[in-house]
Amino acid sequence: MPDRLVLLGSKGGPALRPGGPWPSSSLLQIGGRSIVVDCGLGVTRGLVDAGISLKSLDLIFITHLHSDHVLELGPLIHTAWTAGLATPVGVFGPPGTGHYWRRFCQAMEFDIEIRIVDEGRPDIRDLVSIGEFGEGQVVAQGGLTVSALRVEHPPVTDCFALRFEHGGKSVVFSGDTAFFPPLADFARGADILVHEAMVEEGIERLVARTGNGARLREHLLASHSFAEEAGSIASDAGVKRLVLNHLIPADDSLIGEADWTAAVRKTWNGDLTIARDGLVVGLSSTKAAAGEETV
Ligand SMILES: [Zn+2]
Ligand SMILES: [Zn+2]
């Protein structure tokens, strides 16, 4: 299994619009592990489309509890369970993740109980372990290490960037964050930095279209980064490739890849990927084998 990153859902925010991309979720395959990072709506469909057997689900990370990152966590695990999942799943998320999972199982109690009795399935509640984390090292197992850095995403205080390392390769996810200079140290030398991004021209039209104007604009400016700021973090960190993800706006017909590129090129000269749903980014040590394809 080649190491790769699959961007399953690339838009920022939970709203869906016809023909548009889907909220945040990614698949990171590294060192033989398949790791799901964030579970926005569409994560299950995205994994299936990427050719992943849901039965093999084993490791999930959640950066924070905004719905565009966690709404489909329960449904993903439950669907994997109905697909034959019988091995443990480790879910790592901020404080509150366990509460979400227990209440999800409660909401689905009728179905869970009946499938255990009627279909002889193992108890899904015994298969899942929840690890709530703060800053620092989250996981060190079989050569895989994962660490977390608290980022700036008010009013959410438990929002984390995540760094995954295995066999000398490293991939960093910014989480949702306003411009946050300490992220450059955290992402130092990474093969890939996946950073959230907004493009300024699109914000005013998005605010007008969504209908709650001033408050939305205020939230976006205080809690998210412009593409230029993502580029500046990538440059300071000296990463090998920058992936702009969690795009805001993501479904404005007047904002295309060229606009994202023009914005980020003010601060970033290195390898660049603008995310779209299903895009695969290779994580090879050889330059020739790195690159993109779409599933
Ligand atoms: Zn988000
Ligand atoms: Zn958020």
Side-chain angles (χ1 to χ4, degrees):
M1 184 173 73
D3 290 345
R4 61 178 190 159
L5 166 70
V6 189
L7 303 156
L8 305 174
S10 59
K11 84 180 288 284
L16 295 179
R17 296 185 183 88
W22 286 66
S24 258
S25 63
S26 301
L27 168 69
L28 174 62
Q29 294 184 297
I30 190 169
R33 303 294 294 269
S34 291
I35 305 165
V36 177
V37 181
D38 281 334
C39 289
L41 210 57
V43 61
T44 313
R45 177 62 187 266
L47 288 169
V48 170
D49 284 351
I52 300 299
S53 163
L54 294 180
K55 271 177 76 168
S56 65
L57 192 68
D58 78 327
L59 207 45
I60 301 173
F61 288 82
I62 302 294
T63 59
H64 66 301
L65 295 180
H66 264 149
S67 57
D68 54 323
H69 300 256
V70 76
L71 190 61
E72 202 171 300
L73 170 61
L76 167 62
I77 300 171
H78 186 283
T79 305
W81 179 62
T82 61
L85 178 78
T87 47
V89 175
V91 178
F92 296 88
T97 305
H99 174 79
Y100 164 92
W101 172 246
R102 286 187 298 276
R103 294 301 174 99
F104 172 80
C105 290
Q106 240 171 13
M108 292 305 297
E109 203 162 38
F110 173 84
D111 181 88
I112 290 171
E113 299 289 357
I114 214 163
R115 287 186 196 280
I116 291 170
V117 174
D118 188 36
E119 301 170 11
R121 295 187 186 278
D123 193 328
I124 190 173
R125 291 158 293 204
D126 297 335
L127 292 177
V128 176
S129 62
I130 305 284
E132 295 187 345
F133 64 80
E135 268 193 335
Q137 186 166 288
V138 180
V139 163
Q141 46 178 247
L144 173 72
T145 62
V146 186
S147 49
L149 174 75
R150 189 184 305 276
V151 289
E152 186 73 23
H153 189 46
V156 179
T157 52
D158 289 323
C159 182
F160 296 94
L162 294 169
R163 181 177 181 117
F164 296 84
E165 292 185 81
H166 188 282
K169 292 180 190 165
S170 50
V171 177
V172 174
F173 292 81
S174 70
D176 283 10
T177 185
F179 179 58
F180 190 60
L183 195 50
D185 257 341
F186 185 71
R188 183 79 53 213
D191 292 279
I192 299 176
L193 169 63
V194 182
H195 200 295
E196 71 128 271
M198 300 185 291
V199 70
E200 201 159 7
E201 303 79 61
I203 298 302
E204 290 309 317
R205 279 198 301 279
L206 175 71
V207 162
R209 198 169 43 157
T210 309
N212 57 340
R215 289 293 293 276
L216 178 63
R217 182 190 296 110
E218 209 175 289
H219 165 77
L220 291 174
L221 297 183
S223 311
H224 295 280
S225 303
F226 287 113
E228 294 87 332
E229 295 173 321
S232 142
I233 297 289
S235 292
D236 285 357
V239 301
K240 297 194 180 74
R241 174 177 294 272
L242 170 63
V243 177
L244 291 188
N245 192 37
H246 195 278
L247 304 178
I248 301 175
D251 51 5
D252 183 330
S253 59
L254 298 177
I255 303 287
E257 194 158 316
D259 301 287
W260 290 101
T261 303
V264 73
R265 282 302 182 209
K266 294 174 194 162
T267 51
W268 169 248
N269 295 316
D271 289 346
L272 173 67
T273 298
I274 312 297
R276 57 178 191 272
D277 293 5
L279 192 71
V280 178
V281 183
L283 185 54
S284 170
S285 47
T286 62
K287 178 97 180 171
E292 304 167 356
E293 58 182 290
T294 302
V295 294

